[in-house]
Amino acid sequence: MAKLCLSLIVFIVIFSVLGSVEPAAVRHAQVSRARAFIESSCRSTRYPSLCVKCLSGYANKTQQSPFQLAQVAISVSLAKARQTRAYMMQVSGNFKDVQGRTHQDIRDCLDQINDSVDRLTQSILELRRMNQEGGDSDFTWRMSNVDTWVSAALTDATICVDGFSGREMGKMKATIKGKLVDVAQITSNALALVDRFAARHRATHKP
């Protein structure tokens, strides 16, 4: 009887261990596939290394879907634009020595970044409203809106970067420019992933 009980306990322990190992292995495989999907998708962008770095943390949310990846990419771009705007507002409001041309550059750029934030927000909302399985006319119209808004957000960020160019640049301006370059590059990647999703959708929904 004692041997039977011992054998039963051993069996239960082994079964429990195997039961915990298999789901862990499955989760690891899923994460690996999701990361591979992101790496493959990011090859279509202008800054693939930055793309992978920014999106890898959202592997589970992408569900290996170009549509979900496009949404995540725009959301990351929006978050970066908001962070940069907050920093620039702090600099503009708290630094008394920010005067003259530098102060005006910051104010002008804040207007551009505000536009970027608005357009990226509109893009996310438009993608959420998009019915992927709906008619071609609805998809084409909404996709055109998203492409226009993300492109405009990229233009705004690029204009800001150009406004902080020049040989004579203090530490503060260099910091701002670095943040703006990140916004521009991340938005560029988001636009590429939006275009990739649109192209794949059209290829699989031919009349």
Tab-separated table of all heavy atoms in Angstrom, residues 80 84 87-88 106 109 157-167 169-185:
chain	number	residue	atom	x	y	z
A	80	LYS	N	5.784	58.955	-28.205
A	80	LYS	CA	7.060	59.667	-28.297
A	80	LYS	C	6.835	61.145	-28.588
A	80	LYS	O	7.529	62.016	-28.016
A	80	LYS	CB	7.927	59.044	-29.398
A	80	LYS	CG	9.362	59.541	-29.397
A	80	LYS	CD	10.081	59.119	-28.135
A	80	LYS	CE	11.522	59.571	-28.151
A	80	LYS	NZ	12.223	59.197	-26.899
A	84	THR	N	7.960	64.271	-26.143
A	84	THR	CA	8.794	65.365	-26.645
A	84	THR	C	8.097	66.707	-26.462
A	84	THR	O	8.720	67.703	-26.079
A	84	THR	CB	9.130	65.130	-28.133
A	84	THR	OG1	9.826	63.879	-28.265
A	84	THR	CG2	9.996	66.244	-28.687
A	87	TYR	N	8.384	67.760	-22.845
A	87	TYR	CA	9.728	68.253	-22.531
A	87	TYR	C	9.919	69.671	-23.058
A	87	TYR	O	10.439	70.548	-22.354
A	87	TYR	CB	10.782	67.319	-23.121
A	87	TYR	CG	12.195	67.820	-22.932
A	87	TYR	CD1	12.850	67.637	-21.715
A	87	TYR	CD2	12.859	68.476	-23.962
A	87	TYR	CE1	14.142	68.112	-21.530
A	87	TYR	CE2	14.155	68.951	-23.782
A	87	TYR	CZ	14.794	68.766	-22.564
A	87	TYR	OH	16.068	69.242	-22.380
A	88	MET	N	9.475	69.913	-24.284
A	88	MET	CA	9.659	71.230	-24.888
A	88	MET	C	8.823	72.290	-24.173
A	88	MET	O	9.252	73.432	-24.026
A	88	MET	CB	9.313	71.168	-26.376
A	88	MET	CG	10.279	70.310	-27.185
A	88	MET	SD	9.887	70.289	-28.945
A	88	MET	CE	10.232	71.996	-29.379
A	106	ILE	N	11.622	77.039	-30.441
A	106	ILE	CA	10.882	76.108	-29.591
A	106	ILE	C	9.384	76.314	-29.743
A	106	ILE	O	8.613	75.354	-29.869
A	106	ILE	CB	11.312	76.266	-28.117
A	106	ILE	CG1	12.761	75.813	-27.936
A	106	ILE	CG2	10.394	75.452	-27.199
A	106	ILE	CD1	13.312	76.053	-26.544
A	109	CYS	N	8.231	75.065	-33.099
A	109	CYS	CA	8.272	73.606	-33.141
A	109	CYS	C	7.143	73.003	-32.309
A	109	CYS	O	6.588	71.963	-32.666
A	109	CYS	CB	9.628	73.109	-32.632
A	109	CYS	SG	9.877	71.349	-32.868
A	157	ALA	N	7.394	66.765	-37.892
A	157	ALA	CA	8.582	66.415	-37.105
A	157	ALA	C	9.866	66.755	-37.859
A	157	ALA	O	10.840	67.245	-37.272
A	157	ALA	CB	8.552	64.925	-36.745
A	158	THR	N	9.867	66.513	-39.159
A	158	THR	CA	11.050	66.801	-39.976
A	158	THR	C	11.328	68.298	-40.029
A	158	THR	O	12.488	68.733	-39.970
A	158	THR	CB	10.856	66.251	-41.403
A	158	THR	OG1	10.601	64.842	-41.343
A	158	THR	CG2	12.098	66.501	-42.246
A	159	ILE	N	10.274	69.103	-40.138
A	159	ILE	CA	10.428	70.564	-40.134
A	159	ILE	C	11.046	71.012	-38.814
A	159	ILE	O	11.917	71.899	-38.780
A	159	ILE	CB	9.068	71.255	-40.368
A	159	ILE	CG1	8.605	71.024	-41.809
A	159	ILE	CG2	9.162	72.751	-40.074
A	159	ILE	CD1	7.202	71.531	-42.087
A	160	CYS	N	10.604	70.406	-37.722
A	160	CYS	CA	11.173	70.741	-36.412
A	160	CYS	C	12.663	70.423	-36.360
A	160	CYS	O	13.466	71.212	-35.847
A	160	CYS	CB	10.445	69.972	-35.309
A	160	CYS	SG	8.937	70.762	-34.724
A	161	VAL	N	13.028	69.257	-36.855
A	161	VAL	CA	14.441	68.860	-36.858
A	161	VAL	C	15.263	69.874	-37.641
A	161	VAL	O	16.330	70.314	-37.199
A	161	VAL	CB	14.618	67.452	-37.463
A	161	VAL	CG1	16.106	67.138	-37.640
A	161	VAL	CG2	13.976	66.407	-36.555
A	162	ASP	N	14.770	70.259	-38.810
A	162	ASP	CA	15.485	71.227	-39.647
A	162	ASP	C	15.625	72.571	-38.940
A	162	ASP	O	16.622	73.282	-39.115
A	162	ASP	CB	14.744	71.424	-40.976
A	162	ASP	CG	14.784	70.176	-41.848
A	162	ASP	OD1	15.646	69.308	-41.589
A	162	ASP	OD2	13.937	70.061	-42.748
A	163	GLY	N	14.619	72.930	-38.120
A	163	GLY	CA	14.668	74.192	-37.402
A	163	GLY	C	15.726	74.235	-36.321
A	163	GLY	O	16.127	75.316	-35.872
A	164	PHE	N	16.213	73.062	-35.911
A	164	PHE	CA	17.248	73.012	-34.876
A	164	PHE	C	18.591	72.580	-35.450
A	164	PHE	O	19.461	72.093	-34.741
A	164	PHE	CB	16.829	72.050	-33.755
A	164	PHE	CG	15.825	72.643	-32.815
A	164	PHE	CD1	14.476	72.577	-33.109
A	164	PHE	CD2	16.220	73.293	-31.659
A	164	PHE	CE1	13.533	73.140	-32.259
A	164	PHE	CE2	15.293	73.853	-30.799
A	164	PHE	CZ	13.940	73.782	-31.101
A	165	SER	N	18.764	72.752	-36.716
A	165	SER	CA	20.037	72.413	-37.353
A	165	SER	C	20.977	73.612	-37.282
A	165	SER	O	20.556	74.753	-37.119
A	165	SER	CB	19.809	72.008	-38.816
A	165	SER	OG	18.988	70.857	-38.885
A	166	GLY	N	22.242	73.340	-37.441
A	166	GLY	CA	23.242	74.407	-37.406
A	166	GLY	C	24.461	73.985	-36.620
A	166	GLY	O	24.400	73.093	-35.781
A	167	ARG	N	25.554	74.610	-36.911
A	167	ARG	CA	26.811	74.249	-36.248
A	167	ARG	C	26.833	74.691	-34.790
A	167	ARG	O	27.306	73.973	-33.918
A	167	ARG	CB	27.989	74.879	-36.999
A	167	ARG	CG	28.168	74.336	-38.426
A	167	ARG	CD	29.389	74.967	-39.090
A	167	ARG	NE	29.587	74.457	-40.438
A	167	ARG	CZ	30.573	74.843	-41.251
A	167	ARG	NH1	31.446	75.774	-40.828
A	167	ARG	NH2	30.690	74.335	-42.457
A	169	MET	N	25.246	74.965	-31.578
A	169	MET	CA	24.096	74.403	-30.894
A	169	MET	C	24.468	74.062	-29.461
A	169	MET	O	25.365	73.273	-29.206
A	169	MET	CB	23.602	73.146	-31.626
A	169	MET	CG	22.272	72.623	-31.106
A	169	MET	SD	21.761	71.124	-31.987
A	169	MET	CE	21.801	71.669	-33.674
A	170	GLY	N	23.773	74.683	-28.514
A	170	GLY	CA	24.027	74.396	-27.115
A	170	GLY	C	23.482	73.041	-26.714
A	170	GLY	O	22.815	72.350	-27.498
A	171	LYS	N	23.737	72.675	-25.465
A	171	LYS	CA	23.315	71.364	-24.966
A	171	LYS	C	21.807	71.197	-25.014
A	171	LYS	O	21.303	70.129	-25.394
A	171	LYS	CB	23.824	71.178	-23.530
A	171	LYS	CG	23.489	69.820	-22.941
A	171	LYS	CD	24.056	69.690	-21.539
A	171	LYS	CE	23.705	68.323	-20.945
A	171	LYS	NZ	24.250	68.180	-19.558
A	172	MET	N	21.087	72.259	-24.638
A	172	MET	CA	19.632	72.169	-24.612
A	172	MET	C	19.059	71.952	-26.005
A	172	MET	O	18.202	71.088	-26.228
A	172	MET	CB	19.023	73.408	-23.992
A	172	MET	CG	17.507	73.332	-23.841
A	172	MET	SD	16.831	74.888	-23.243
A	172	MET	CE	17.271	75.990	-24.589
A	173	LYS	N	19.536	72.717	-26.968
A	173	LYS	CA	19.055	72.571	-28.339
A	173	LYS	C	19.422	71.207	-28.903
A	173	LYS	O	18.631	70.602	-29.629
A	173	LYS	CB	19.627	73.677	-29.233
A	173	LYS	CG	19.033	75.058	-28.970
A	173	LYS	CD	19.503	76.071	-29.999
A	173	LYS	CE	18.913	75.809	-31.355
A	173	LYS	NZ	19.244	76.876	-32.344
A	174	ALA	N	20.605	70.714	-28.555
A	174	ALA	CA	21.021	69.392	-29.025
A	174	ALA	C	20.113	68.303	-28.450
A	174	ALA	O	19.759	67.331	-29.135
A	174	ALA	CB	22.473	69.135	-28.637
A	175	THR	N	19.716	68.468	-27.175
A	175	THR	CA	18.818	67.500	-26.538
A	175	THR	C	17.457	67.512	-27.225
A	175	THR	O	16.879	66.453	-27.522
A	175	THR	CB	18.643	67.832	-25.041
A	175	THR	OG1	19.909	67.751	-24.397
A	175	THR	CG2	17.681	66.848	-24.381
A	176	ILE	N	16.950	68.708	-27.483
A	176	ILE	CA	15.659	68.830	-28.164
A	176	ILE	C	15.729	68.207	-29.556
A	176	ILE	O	14.832	67.454	-29.967
A	176	ILE	CB	15.233	70.306	-28.263
A	176	ILE	CG1	14.939	70.858	-26.870
A	176	ILE	CG2	14.007	70.457	-29.161
A	176	ILE	CD1	14.656	72.347	-26.842
A	177	LYS	N	16.795	68.512	-30.259
A	177	LYS	CA	16.922	67.973	-31.613
A	177	LYS	C	16.981	66.446	-31.585
A	177	LYS	O	16.364	65.781	-32.435
A	177	LYS	CB	18.190	68.520	-32.291
A	177	LYS	CG	18.336	68.028	-33.730
A	177	LYS	CD	19.561	68.594	-34.416
A	177	LYS	CE	19.675	68.057	-35.841
A	177	LYS	NZ	20.866	68.588	-36.542
A	178	GLY	N	17.691	65.875	-30.608
A	178	GLY	CA	17.765	64.422	-30.505
A	178	GLY	C	16.388	63.802	-30.307
A	178	GLY	O	16.062	62.771	-30.911
A	179	LYS	N	15.577	64.431	-29.482
A	179	LYS	CA	14.219	63.934	-29.245
A	179	LYS	C	13.369	64.072	-30.506
A	179	LYS	O	12.558	63.189	-30.828
A	179	LYS	CB	13.571	64.693	-28.076
A	179	LYS	CG	14.210	64.401	-26.728
A	179	LYS	CD	13.544	65.188	-25.606
A	179	LYS	CE	14.190	64.883	-24.262
A	179	LYS	NZ	13.957	63.492	-23.841
A	180	LEU	N	13.546	65.159	-31.219
A	180	LEU	CA	12.790	65.366	-32.450
A	180	LEU	C	13.188	64.375	-33.533
A	180	LEU	O	12.336	63.896	-34.293
A	180	LEU	CB	13.001	66.802	-32.952
A	180	LEU	CG	12.389	67.899	-32.084
A	180	LEU	CD1	12.878	69.273	-32.550
A	180	LEU	CD2	10.864	67.839	-32.122
A	181	VAL	N	14.471	64.065	-33.604
A	181	VAL	CA	14.939	63.064	-34.572
A	181	VAL	C	14.290	61.714	-34.276
A	181	VAL	O	13.862	60.997	-35.190
A	181	VAL	CB	16.482	62.948	-34.536
A	181	VAL	CG1	16.945	61.714	-35.303
A	181	VAL	CG2	17.126	64.199	-35.128
A	182	ASP	N	14.190	61.370	-33.003
A	182	ASP	CA	13.527	60.111	-32.619
A	182	ASP	C	12.071	60.108	-33.081
A	182	ASP	O	11.583	59.108	-33.620
A	182	ASP	CB	13.584	59.915	-31.104
A	182	ASP	CG	14.948	59.445	-30.622
A	182	ASP	OD1	15.756	59.011	-31.459
A	182	ASP	OD2	15.203	59.521	-29.400
A	183	VAL	N	11.383	61.222	-32.845
A	183	VAL	CA	9.978	61.319	-33.272
A	183	VAL	C	9.872	61.126	-34.782
A	183	VAL	O	9.020	60.370	-35.271
A	183	VAL	CB	9.366	62.671	-32.869
A	183	VAL	CG1	7.971	62.836	-33.470
A	183	VAL	CG2	9.278	62.792	-31.360
A	184	ALA	N	10.729	61.803	-35.524
A	184	ALA	CA	10.689	61.730	-36.983
A	184	ALA	C	10.974	60.308	-37.478
A	184	ALA	O	10.268	59.787	-38.356
A	184	ALA	CB	11.691	62.713	-37.592
A	185	GLN	N	11.990	59.668	-36.916
A	185	GLN	CA	12.363	58.331	-37.372
A	185	GLN	C	11.314	57.288	-36.993
A	185	GLN	O	10.980	56.401	-37.794
A	185	GLN	CB	13.729	57.953	-36.809
A	185	GLN	CG	14.869	58.787	-37.375
A	185	GLN	CD	16.230	58.375	-36.843
A	185	GLN	OE1	16.343	57.538	-35.953
A	185	GLN	NE2	17.277	58.962	-37.397
